Protein backbone atom coordinates (compact mmCIF):
# COMPACT_ATOMS: atom_id res chain seq x y z
CA UNK A 1 0.00 0.00 0.00
CA UNK A 2 1.43 3.39 -1.01
CA UNK A 3 1.36 6.10 1.66
CA UNK A 4 -0.52 9.36 1.08
CA UNK A 5 1.31 11.12 3.94
CA UNK A 6 2.39 14.62 2.93
CA UNK A 7 0.43 14.60 -0.34
CA UNK A 8 -2.01 17.31 -1.36
CA UNK A 9 -5.52 17.04 -2.81
CA UNK A 10 -8.25 19.23 -4.23
CA UNK A 11 -11.80 17.95 -3.70
CA UNK A 12 -14.84 19.51 -5.39
CA UNK A 13 -18.27 19.08 -3.82
CA UNK A 14 -16.58 19.16 -0.41
CA UNK A 15 -19.55 20.61 1.49
CA UNK A 16 -21.67 17.46 1.59
CA UNK A 17 -21.97 13.71 1.09
CA UNK A 18 -19.25 11.82 -0.76
CA UNK A 19 -17.01 14.87 -1.27
CA UNK A 20 -17.13 15.83 2.41
CA UNK A 21 -16.45 12.22 3.49
CA UNK A 22 -13.54 12.04 1.04
CA UNK A 23 -11.98 15.18 2.52
CA UNK A 24 -12.02 13.57 5.97
CA UNK A 25 -10.75 10.20 4.72
CA UNK A 26 -7.84 11.86 2.93
CA UNK A 27 -6.94 13.98 5.95
CA UNK A 28 -6.84 10.85 8.10
CA UNK A 29 -4.24 9.51 5.62
CA UNK A 30 -2.08 12.60 6.15
CA UNK A 31 -3.16 14.48 3.03
CA UNK A 32 -3.52 18.28 3.04
CA UNK A 33 -6.84 18.96 1.36
CA UNK A 34 -8.41 21.96 -0.35
CA UNK A 35 -12.18 21.65 -0.46
CA UNK A 36 -14.41 23.66 -2.75
CA UNK A 37 -18.18 24.14 -3.05
CA UNK A 38 -20.70 26.96 -3.05
CA UNK A 39 -21.61 26.51 0.66
CA UNK A 40 -18.15 27.19 2.10
CA UNK A 41 -19.46 27.36 5.67
CA UNK A 42 -20.06 23.62 5.52
CA UNK A 43 -16.55 22.67 4.37
CA UNK A 44 -14.10 21.20 6.89
CA UNK A 45 -10.75 21.14 5.08
CA UNK A 46 -7.19 22.52 5.38
CA UNK A 47 -7.92 25.04 2.63
CA UNK A 48 -11.51 26.14 2.08
CA UNK A 49 -12.60 27.91 -1.08
CA UNK A 50 -15.77 29.08 -2.76
CA UNK A 51 -16.33 27.13 -5.95
CA UNK A 52 -19.13 27.05 -8.47
CA UNK A 53 -18.06 24.51 -11.08
CA UNK A 54 -20.54 25.97 -13.58
CA UNK A 55 -18.69 29.31 -13.50
CA UNK A 56 -15.34 29.34 -15.37
CA UNK A 57 -14.03 32.34 -13.40
CA UNK A 58 -14.87 30.70 -10.07
CA UNK A 59 -13.11 27.50 -11.17
CA UNK A 60 -10.01 29.37 -12.30
CA UNK A 61 -9.83 31.32 -9.04
CA UNK A 62 -10.33 28.29 -6.82
CA UNK A 63 -7.87 26.07 -8.71
CA UNK A 64 -5.21 28.81 -8.69
CA UNK A 65 -5.61 29.68 -5.00
CA UNK A 66 -5.93 26.06 -3.84
CA UNK A 67 -2.80 24.93 -5.70
CA UNK A 68 -0.90 27.95 -4.39
CA UNK A 69 -2.02 27.41 -0.76
CA UNK A 70 -1.29 23.68 -0.94
CA UNK A 71 2.07 24.20 -2.68
CA UNK A 72 1.33 21.89 -5.62
CA UNK A 73 -1.14 19.13 -6.32
CA UNK A 74 -1.08 15.32 -6.16
CA UNK A 75 -4.77 14.37 -6.23
CA UNK A 76 -7.92 15.79 -7.80
CA UNK A 77 -11.28 14.37 -6.72
CA UNK A 78 -14.17 15.59 -8.88
CA UNK A 79 -17.15 14.95 -6.58
CA UNK A 80 -19.39 17.98 -7.29
CA UNK A 81 -22.56 16.81 -8.96
CA UNK A 82 -26.32 16.66 -8.85
CA UNK A 83 -29.56 15.54 -10.43
CA UNK A 84 -32.60 17.75 -10.90
CA UNK A 85 -35.99 16.05 -10.89
CA UNK A 86 -37.04 12.44 -11.46
CA UNK A 87 -39.44 12.80 -14.38
CA UNK A 88 -39.99 11.57 -17.90
CA UNK A 89 -37.83 13.42 -20.41
CA UNK A 90 -41.02 14.99 -21.87
CA UNK A 91 -41.10 17.23 -18.77
CA UNK A 92 -37.47 18.29 -19.04
CA UNK A 93 -36.69 22.01 -19.26
CA UNK A 94 -33.91 24.04 -20.82
CA UNK A 95 -32.90 25.29 -17.37
CA UNK A 96 -32.73 21.85 -15.70
CA UNK A 97 -30.75 20.43 -18.62
CA UNK A 98 -28.29 23.30 -18.42
CA UNK A 99 -27.77 22.90 -14.65
CA UNK A 100 -27.17 19.14 -14.82
CA UNK A 101 -24.83 19.17 -17.82
CA UNK A 102 -22.96 22.29 -16.69
CA UNK A 103 -22.38 20.86 -13.21
CA UNK A 104 -21.75 17.16 -13.84
CA UNK A 105 -20.01 17.33 -17.21
CA UNK A 106 -18.69 20.78 -18.12
CA UNK A 107 -17.75 21.53 -14.49
CA UNK A 108 -15.83 18.27 -14.13
CA UNK A 109 -14.07 18.73 -17.49
CA UNK A 110 -13.24 22.34 -16.61
CA UNK A 111 -11.78 21.53 -13.19
CA UNK A 112 -9.75 18.69 -14.70
CA UNK A 113 -8.36 20.96 -17.42
CA UNK A 114 -7.43 23.63 -14.87
CA UNK A 115 -5.81 21.21 -12.41
CA UNK A 116 -3.99 18.94 -14.85
CA UNK A 117 -1.03 21.28 -15.48
CA UNK A 118 -0.40 21.43 -11.71
CA UNK A 119 -0.57 17.68 -11.04
CA UNK A 120 2.83 16.39 -10.01
CA UNK A 121 4.28 13.16 -11.39
CA UNK A 122 2.53 10.33 -9.56
CA UNK A 123 -0.67 12.39 -9.51
CA UNK A 124 -4.14 10.90 -9.57
CA UNK A 125 -7.54 12.07 -10.85
CA UNK A 126 -10.68 10.50 -9.37
CA UNK A 127 -14.02 11.18 -11.04
CA UNK A 128 -17.35 10.46 -9.38
CA UNK A 129 -19.43 8.70 -11.99
CA UNK A 130 -22.47 6.62 -11.15
CA UNK A 131 -24.17 3.35 -11.99
CA UNK A 132 -26.41 5.75 -13.96
CA UNK A 133 -23.41 6.22 -16.25
CA UNK A 134 -23.30 2.51 -17.03
CA UNK A 135 -26.96 1.53 -17.37
CA UNK A 136 -29.91 3.82 -18.07
CA UNK A 137 -32.94 3.95 -15.79
CA UNK A 138 -36.32 5.58 -16.45
CA UNK A 139 -37.07 9.22 -15.63
CA UNK A 140 -33.44 10.23 -15.22
CA UNK A 141 -32.43 11.05 -18.80
CA UNK A 142 -30.25 14.09 -18.14
CA UNK A 143 -28.49 12.62 -15.11
CA UNK A 144 -27.88 9.36 -17.01
CA UNK A 145 -26.58 11.33 -20.00
CA UNK A 146 -24.22 13.38 -17.85
CA UNK A 147 -22.76 10.33 -16.11
CA UNK A 148 -22.31 8.35 -19.35
CA UNK A 149 -20.43 11.41 -20.58
CA UNK A 150 -18.25 11.50 -17.45
CA UNK A 151 -17.28 7.88 -18.11
CA UNK A 152 -16.52 8.71 -21.75
CA UNK A 153 -14.36 11.63 -20.67
CA UNK A 154 -12.52 9.45 -18.15
CA UNK A 155 -11.76 6.85 -20.84
CA UNK A 156 -10.68 9.51 -23.35
CA UNK A 157 -8.43 11.28 -20.85
CA UNK A 158 -6.79 7.94 -19.99
CA UNK A 159 -5.82 7.70 -23.65
CA UNK A 160 -4.36 11.21 -23.65
CA UNK A 161 -2.47 10.63 -20.38
CA UNK A 162 -0.77 7.48 -21.65
CA UNK A 163 2.96 7.94 -21.13
CA UNK A 164 2.52 10.39 -18.27
CA UNK A 165 2.79 9.22 -14.66
CA UNK A 166 -0.74 10.29 -13.79
CA UNK A 167 -3.44 7.79 -12.86
CA UNK A 168 -7.17 8.16 -13.43
CA UNK A 169 -10.05 6.32 -11.79
CA UNK A 170 -13.81 6.52 -12.08
CA UNK A 171 -15.74 5.56 -8.95
CA UNK A 172 -19.32 4.66 -9.89
CA UNK A 173 -21.64 4.26 -6.91
CA UNK A 174 -25.20 3.04 -6.69
CA UNK A 175 -27.46 4.09 -3.85
CA UNK A 176 -25.57 6.29 -1.37
CA UNK A 177 -27.44 8.16 1.36
CA UNK A 178 -26.46 11.83 1.06
CA UNK A 179 -28.25 15.08 0.26
CA UNK A 180 -28.32 13.97 -3.38
CA UNK A 181 -32.02 13.02 -3.27
CA UNK A 182 -33.02 16.15 -1.36
CA UNK A 183 -31.44 18.20 -4.14
CA UNK A 184 -32.94 15.99 -6.86
CA UNK A 185 -36.45 16.38 -5.41
CA UNK A 186 -35.99 20.15 -5.04
CA UNK A 187 -36.08 20.14 -1.23
CA UNK A 188 -39.01 17.71 -0.84
CA UNK A 189 -37.88 15.83 2.29
CA UNK A 190 -40.60 13.16 2.10
CA UNK A 191 -39.72 12.28 -1.50
CA UNK A 192 -36.01 12.27 -0.67
CA UNK A 193 -36.43 10.00 2.37
CA UNK A 194 -38.51 7.53 0.35
CA UNK A 195 -35.45 6.79 -1.82
CA UNK A 196 -33.68 5.22 1.17
CA UNK A 197 -36.74 3.62 2.83
CA UNK A 198 -36.73 -0.15 3.40
CA UNK A 199 -33.17 -0.58 2.16
CA UNK A 200 -29.69 -0.19 3.60
CA UNK A 201 -27.91 2.30 1.34
CA UNK A 202 -24.16 2.78 1.10
CA UNK A 203 -22.75 5.44 3.42
CA UNK A 204 -20.63 8.23 1.89
CA UNK A 205 -17.72 7.15 4.11
CA UNK A 206 -17.79 3.77 2.37
CA UNK A 207 -17.34 5.43 -1.03
CA UNK A 208 -14.51 7.52 0.42
CA UNK A 209 -12.81 4.25 1.47
CA UNK A 210 -13.01 3.06 -2.16
CA UNK A 211 -11.36 6.28 -3.30
CA UNK A 212 -8.58 5.86 -0.74
CA UNK A 213 -8.13 2.27 -1.93
CA UNK A 214 -7.56 3.43 -5.52
CA UNK A 215 -5.17 6.17 -4.40
CA UNK A 216 -3.06 3.88 -2.25
CA UNK A 217 -2.25 1.20 -4.84
CA UNK A 218 1.41 1.04 -5.94
CA UNK A 219 2.28 3.72 -8.53
CA UNK A 220 2.33 1.26 -11.47
CA UNK A 221 -1.22 0.05 -10.69
CA UNK A 222 -4.15 2.03 -12.08
CA UNK A 223 -7.55 1.06 -10.72
CA UNK A 224 -9.60 2.05 -13.76
CA UNK A 225 -13.11 1.69 -12.35
CA UNK A 226 -14.80 0.93 -9.07
CA UNK A 227 -18.50 0.08 -9.30
CA UNK A 228 -20.16 -0.22 -5.91
CA UNK A 229 -23.83 -0.83 -5.26
CA UNK A 230 -25.95 -1.49 -2.21
CA UNK A 231 -26.42 -5.24 -1.74
CA UNK A 232 -30.18 -4.83 -2.20
CA UNK A 233 -29.67 -3.16 -5.57
CA UNK A 234 -29.10 -4.93 -8.88
CA UNK A 235 -29.19 -1.85 -11.12
CA UNK A 236 -29.83 1.89 -10.89
CA UNK A 237 -33.59 1.52 -10.64
CA UNK A 238 -34.00 -2.03 -9.29
CA UNK A 239 -33.90 -1.96 -5.51
CA UNK A 240 -35.32 -4.61 -3.19
CA UNK A 241 -37.12 -2.94 -0.29
CA UNK A 242 -38.28 -4.64 2.92
CA UNK A 243 -41.91 -4.20 3.94
CA UNK A 244 -42.30 -1.89 6.94
P1 LIG B 1 -24.60 15.74 -2.14
O1 LIG B 1 -24.56 15.31 -0.71
O2 LIG B 1 -25.79 16.49 -2.61
O3 LIG B 1 -23.27 16.54 -2.48
C1 LIG B 1 -23.11 17.18 -3.73
C2 LIG B 1 -21.93 18.13 -3.65
O4 LIG B 1 -21.79 18.75 -4.94
C3 LIG B 1 -22.14 19.24 -2.64
O5 LIG B 1 -20.94 19.45 -1.93
C4 LIG B 1 -22.47 20.46 -3.50
O6 LIG B 1 -21.96 21.63 -2.88
C5 LIG B 1 -21.64 20.14 -4.74
N1 LIG B 1 -22.10 20.92 -5.89
C6 LIG B 1 -23.29 20.87 -6.53
N2 LIG B 1 -23.35 21.81 -7.48
C7 LIG B 1 -22.15 22.47 -7.44
C8 LIG B 1 -21.60 23.55 -8.16
N3 LIG B 1 -22.28 24.18 -9.15
N4 LIG B 1 -20.36 23.97 -7.85
C9 LIG B 1 -19.64 23.36 -6.87
N5 LIG B 1 -20.12 22.34 -6.15
C10 LIG B 1 -21.36 21.91 -6.43
O7 LIG B 1 -24.50 14.47 -3.12
P2 LIG B 1 -23.45 13.25 -3.21
O8 LIG B 1 -24.24 12.01 -3.24
O9 LIG B 1 -22.37 13.39 -2.20
O10 LIG B 1 -22.88 13.50 -4.67
C11 LIG B 1 -21.49 13.55 -4.93
C12 LIG B 1 -21.22 12.94 -6.30
O11 LIG B 1 -21.55 11.55 -6.26
C13 LIG B 1 -22.06 13.53 -7.43
O12 LIG B 1 -21.26 13.64 -8.59
C14 LIG B 1 -23.14 12.49 -7.65
O13 LIG B 1 -23.64 12.52 -8.96
C15 LIG B 1 -22.36 11.23 -7.35
N6 LIG B 1 -23.19 10.05 -7.04
C16 LIG B 1 -24.05 10.06 -5.98
C17 LIG B 1 -24.82 8.93 -5.71
C18 LIG B 1 -25.80 8.85 -4.57
O14 LIG B 1 -26.61 7.90 -4.53
N7 LIG B 1 -25.77 9.76 -3.62
C19 LIG B 1 -24.70 7.80 -6.54
C20 LIG B 1 -23.81 7.84 -7.61
C21 LIG B 1 -23.05 8.96 -7.83
P3 LIG B 1 -22.72 23.07 -2.85
O15 LIG B 1 -24.20 22.82 -3.03
O16 LIG B 1 -22.37 23.59 -1.49
O17 LIG B 1 -22.11 23.85 -3.95
Amino acid sequence: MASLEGKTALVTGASSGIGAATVQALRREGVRVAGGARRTERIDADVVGELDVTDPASCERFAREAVSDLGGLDVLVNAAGLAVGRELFERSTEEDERIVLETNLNGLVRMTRLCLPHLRDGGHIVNLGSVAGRQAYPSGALYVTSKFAVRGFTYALREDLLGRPIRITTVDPGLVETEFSLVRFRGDREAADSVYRGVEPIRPEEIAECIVFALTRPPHVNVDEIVVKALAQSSGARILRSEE
Side-chain angles (χ1 to χ4, degrees):
M1 184 168 147
S3 170
L4 295 176
E5 188 73 43
K7 303 255 185 204
T8 62
L10 187 160
V11 178
T12 73
S15 63
S16 177
I18 295 167
T22 301
V23 172
Q24 299 319 319
L26 291 175
R27 293 176 89 192
R28 279 195 298 276
E29 297 292 320
V31 180
R32 285 190 66 235
V33 185
R38 293 165 302 182
R39 295 168 294 173
T40 48
E41 71 285 358
R42 293 179 48 164
I43 301 174
D44 180 14
D46 302 290
V47 176
V48 173
E50 192 173 338
L51 170 67
D52 180 348
V53 296
T54 70
D55 176 358
S58 169
C59 291
E60 281 166 28
R61 189 172 50 248
F62 177 64
R64 188 179 57 246
E65 290 176 0
V67 169
S68 164
D69 287 355
L70 293 172
L73 194 61
D74 298 298
V75 175
L76 167 65
V77 180
N78 281 310
L82 47 65
V84 182
R86 185 77 210 274
E87 293 141 357
L88 291 176
F89 179 65
E90 293 159 17
R91 305 212 190 111
S92 184
T93 65
E94 184 74 30
E95 177 63 2
D96 289 351
E97 290 162 13
R98 196 188 58 75
I99 291 171
V100 173
L101 295 177
E102 262 297 328
T103 307
N104 297 0
L105 178 57
N106 298 27
L108 180 144
V109 169
R110 186 176 289 128
M111 284 305 295
T112 304
R113 169 169 42 77
L114 290 167
C115 290
L116 197 50
H118 303 289
L119 270 182
R120 283 191 275 252
D121 284 1
H124 202 139
I125 299 167
V126 179
N127 291 334
L128 260 300
S130 168
V131 293
R134 314 184 70 89
Q135 188 179 2
Y137 59 76
S139 299
L142 260 295
Y143 185 66
V144 165
T145 301
S146 72
K147 291 298 183 177
F148 265 78
V150 166
R151 192 154 59 90
F153 175 65
T154 304
Y155 290 1
L157 186 55
R158 182 172 296 117
E159 296 296 334
D160 285 3
L161 288 174
L162 192 65
R164 287 186 65 184
I166 293 176
R167 297 184 288 171
I168 182 162
T169 302
T170 178
V171 176
D172 295 359
L175 191 69
V176 187
E177 186 163 11
T178 65
E179 292 181 9
F180 179 83
S181 293
L182 194 61
V183 172
R184 170 170 242 177
F185 291 106
R186 307 172 202 269
D188 181 341
R189 170 62 66 186
E190 173 58 25
D193 288 349
S194 71
V195 173
Y196 310 110
R197 200 163 291 145
V199 63
E200 186 170 358
I202 304 163
R203 296 197 304 270
E205 294 74 19
E206 290 156 347
I207 300 301
E209 284 170 16
C210 294
I211 293 171
V212 169
F213 174 82
L215 294 175
T216 52
R217 293 315 88 202
H220 66 288
V221 176
N222 191 93
V223 177
D224 282 15
E225 313 185 43
I226 299 181
V227 185
V228 50
K229 298 198 284 261
L231 180 61
Q233 177 179 34
S234 59
S235 65
R238 192 149 182 247
I239 295 165
L240 191 66
R241 297 180 193 277
S242 61
E243 300 297 326
E244 293 188 359

